[in-house]
Amino acid sequence: MGRHRRGPKREVTVADLIAELRRYEPGTEVRLAIQPRMPQEHGVGPVAEADGIVWIGDGGHRGYAPDEVGDRLGWA
C-alpha cells in the first residue's frame, strides 16, 4: 500500500468537468494522468453512461507524464 496523501474524496459532475475544460482552448489535446508516484499518461477513450454515471474510458497508455503534470495536479 502506498503512502500517497490523498485529499478528501471529490465527486465530479458533468457540469464540473465542463466548467474546468472551458478554461482551455477547444483544440487542446486531453490526457488522463494516473498513478501519482510515477505519473503515467493515458489517452481519453470512449465516453458512456451507465447506472446514472458518465464513464470516461481509458484510451491507452502513452508513456510517462512530464514531471510538471504531478506538480500542477498537486501530487508533489
Side-chain angles (χ1 to χ4, degrees):
M1 299 281 173
R3 294 180 185 223
H4 178 71
R5 286 186 234 154
R6 296 188 180 152
K9 187 175 181 181
R10 178 176 173 241
E11 298 295 334
V12 177
T13 66
V14 170
D16 294 335
L17 187 56
I18 290 169
E20 286 289 325
L21 291 174
R22 281 196 173 131
R23 299 184 310 160
Y24 305 98
E25 291 295 322
T28 304
E29 290 185 39
V30 176
R31 294 285 187 269
L32 299 174
I34 64 167
Q35 193 173 329
R37 287 187 175 193
M38 294 186 71
Q40 304 287 309
E41 176 183 342
H42 285 244
V44 175
V47 177
E49 186 272 334
D51 296 325
I53 297 174
V54 174
W55 297 88
I56 301 173
D58 184 350
H61 184 255
R62 306 284 172 103
Y64 289 99
D67 293 337
E68 177 182 11
V69 171
D71 293 341
R72 293 204 176 187
L73 291 172
W75 292 349

